[in-house]
């Protein structure tokens, strides 16, 4: 048999495969979401996210040091707000002594090189578990944007390197960028959750922060998963409004969107490999149905291949360790 082109030549052994690999995962690609709780000496495993924890600030610091020593450069902070501090204005979100603000300071004091990003949305602070202010059953856009601006400035004041609005209100990137400029935070970045879909895969995250919507769903602000062109529109608008990084979320079921957005924008694209994606791999691994370590690396490599420059993932620490061998 005569074959002019034998594609298997480049797959012959691991040496040649690594020579021609188009996508190489490194710890520099990762953003680590951290769940932070009030109190001291608290490490609480999230039931629907096995081996993932919500920690008090002291343990968070230990974890951040650990992550940095593994080559991870960035964390994304989420806090669990006490019930008595929740309301319909979200005002605890810009309390200068709030849990988020104290966490930012503590992390920047302990590991100044760690790039600290913060979630900006009202859901952990909302009695309704919605990302914005609720009026007559509606999540009102413009008032919410005003709250998100206050929240962003408060995070920047506490020392956040980058704010990450995950709320999907219209016009918030321009408003936040404008306010950061006015307040002289010219070095504070914005990672916009640009194409964030109304997804059932956020369930475990809402367990972690006790932030499930109290009524209805998030479909009037988060995107319809039937849509693709709309994701490009959102990403281009956020880029235009001043976003430094645009995000697609969730990850795995949306890799077509990742590529589409990557081809359209000129800023880095991040992808959020979300809680439900984490839970699915953990569950299948527990049943013995997939090899967990292989599933982690294959998943993250696929997300990067699709076009992600950065990946927010609960697997970051595991992956950083796996990549060392
Ligand atoms: C809320 C927010 C959510 C996530 C990040 N920020 C949940 C939601 O929109 O309901 C989900 C992250 C995950 O599932 O891992 N603004």
């Amino acid at each position: 048999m005569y074959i002019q082109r034998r594609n298997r030549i480049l797959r012959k052994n691991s040496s040649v495969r690594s020579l021609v690999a188009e996508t190489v995962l490194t710890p520099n690609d990762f953003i680590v979401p951290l769940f932070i709780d009030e109190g001291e000496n608290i490490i609480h495993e999230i039931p629907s996210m096995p081996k993932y924890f919500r920690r008090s600030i002291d343990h968070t610091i230990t974890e951040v040091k650990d992550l940095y020593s593994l080559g991870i450069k960035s964390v994304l902070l989420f806090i669990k707000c006490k019930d008595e501090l929740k309301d319909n204005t979200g005002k605890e979100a810009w309390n200068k002594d709030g849990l988020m603000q104290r966490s930012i300071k503590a992390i920047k004091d302990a590991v100044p090189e760690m790039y600290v990003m913060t979630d900006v949305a009202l859901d952990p602070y909302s009695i309704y578990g919605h990302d914005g202010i609720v009026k007559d059953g509606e999540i009102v856009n413009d008032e919410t944007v005003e709250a998100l601006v206050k929240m962003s400035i408060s995070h920047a004041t506490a020392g956040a390197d980058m704010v990450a609005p995950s709320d999907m209100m219209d016009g918030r990137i321009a408003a936040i960028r404008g306010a950061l400029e006015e307040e002289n935070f010219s070095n504070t970045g914005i990672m916009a959750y640009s194409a964030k879909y109304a997804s059932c895969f956020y369930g475990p995250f809402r367990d972690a922060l006790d932030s499930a919507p109290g009524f209805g769903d998030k479909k009037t602000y988060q995107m319809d998963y039937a849509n693709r062109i709309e994701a490009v529109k959102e990403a281009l608008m956020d880029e235009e409004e001043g976003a430094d990084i645009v995000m697609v979320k969730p990850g795995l079921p949306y890799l077509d969107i990742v590529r589409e957005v990557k081809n359209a924008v000129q800023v880095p694209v991040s992808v959020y490999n979300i809680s439900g994606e984490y839970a699915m791999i953990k569950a299948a691994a527990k049943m013995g149905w997939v090899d967990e370590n292989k599933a982690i690396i294959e998943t993250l490599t696929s997300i990067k291949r699709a076009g992600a420059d950065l990946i927010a993932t609960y697997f970051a620490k595991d992956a950083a360790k796996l990549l060392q061998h």
Side-chain angles (χ1 to χ4, degrees):
M1 186 172 180
Y2 173 87
I3 300 180
Q4 180 69 29
R5 169 153 293 282
R6 290 187 179 270
N7 292 339
R8 291 182 53 193
I9 287 170
L10 296 182
R11 297 178 204 139
K12 181 179 164 203
N13 57 32
S14 68
S15 296
V16 71
R17 285 195 297 271
S18 59
L19 285 171
V20 301
E22 294 173 42
T23 309
V24 180
L25 207 57
T26 88
N28 293 329
D29 302 325
F30 303 144
I31 302 168
V32 184
L34 293 176
F35 300 132
I36 306 174
D37 215 338
E38 216 36 280
E40 254 175 70
N41 198 21
I42 289 168
I43 303 190
H44 170 83
E45 187 172 14
I46 294 136
S48 49
M49 298 179 72
K51 297 279 162 58
Y52 216 80
F53 303 92
R54 203 173 60 225
R55 301 178 175 85
S56 47
I57 293 182
D58 49 345
H59 283 294
T60 300
I61 298 297
T62 310
E63 178 69 3
V64 170
K65 288 180 180 164
D66 224 25
L67 294 170
Y68 197 75
S69 74
L70 286 166
I72 291 170
K73 312 283 181 0
S74 152
V75 290
L76 175 58
L77 311 186
F78 297 90
I79 63 104
K80 180 173 186 294
C81 185
K82 284 193 171 152
D83 279 343
E84 59 265 32
L85 298 173
K86 296 186 184 187
D87 63 17
N88 188 30
T89 67
K91 65 179 184 316
E92 177 60 16
W94 55 91
N95 173 0
K96 67 177 175 29
D97 300 316
L99 178 57
M100 175 62 97
Q101 289 74 2
R102 280 180 282 127
S103 303
I104 297 167
K105 282 192 199 107
I107 293 172
K108 289 306 285 186
D109 283 348
V111 190
E113 303 80 12
M114 186 59 94
Y115 198 80
V116 173
M117 306 190 188
T118 56
D119 186 63
V120 170
L122 297 185
D123 49 325
Y125 306 91
S126 160
I127 37 168
Y128 299 113
H130 273 290
D131 290 28
I133 294 165
V134 178
K135 283 200 172 154
D136 302 326
E138 191 188 321
I139 291 72
V140 291
N141 195 86
D142 300 10
E143 272 177 63
T144 299
V145 170
E146 283 173 33
L148 298 173
V149 165
K150 287 186 218 159
M151 188 175 181
S152 301
I153 295 297
S154 162
H155 292 182
T157 306
D161 295 295
M162 187 169 268
V163 294
S166 65
D167 54 286
M168 290 301 280
M169 296 301 123
D170 289 327
R172 90 275 207 218
I173 301 303
I176 292 170
R177 184 71 260 159
L180 288 170
E181 286 296 312
E182 259 169 44
E183 305 280 337
N184 287 321
F185 290 112
S186 48
N187 289 324
T188 308
I190 304 174
M191 176 168 76
Y193 286 62
S194 300
K196 177 171 177 179
Y197 287 85
S199 169
C200 72
F201 296 109
Y202 302 145
F205 172 96
R206 294 172 186 171
D207 284 349
L209 297 187
D210 181 26
S211 63
F215 69 87
D217 52 37
K218 298 193 173 185
K219 289 182 179 171
T220 67
Y221 44 108
Q222 298 180 348
M223 282 179 52
D224 182 348
Y225 51 74
N227 295 352
R228 188 161 53 90
I229 309 299
E230 193 185 353
V232 176
K233 175 177 74 177
E234 288 279 5
L236 287 174
M237 284 179 69
D238 285 350
E239 181 181 29
E240 181 73 26
E241 289 181 30
D244 300 282
I245 299 175
V246 295
M247 184 192 276
V248 174
K249 175 184 180 184
L252 271 189
Y254 294 84
L255 294 187
D256 57 328
I257 310 297
V258 175
R259 173 46 59 185
E260 197 86 50
V261 168
K262 176 67 184 165
N263 288 345
V265 300
Q266 288 179 336
V267 290
V269 175
S270 65
V271 172
Y272 203 139
N273 172 223
I274 61 159
S275 58
E277 300 172 55
Y278 176 88
M280 286 193 290
I281 288 182
K282 284 289 181 186
K286 187 175 171 197
M287 295 300 287
W289 292 341
V290 295
D291 177 317
E292 180 171 345
N293 290 343
K294 288 180 179 163
I296 291 172
I297 297 298
E298 183 174 336
T299 297
L300 297 176
T301 305
S302 304
I303 292 173
K304 188 168 181 186
R305 185 199 63 228
D309 299 290
L310 292 157
I311 307 169
T313 175
Y314 304 100
F315 289 122
K317 193 175 186 183
D318 295 333
K321 287 183 186 161
L322 291 168
L323 293 171
Q324 285 175 340
H325 315 119

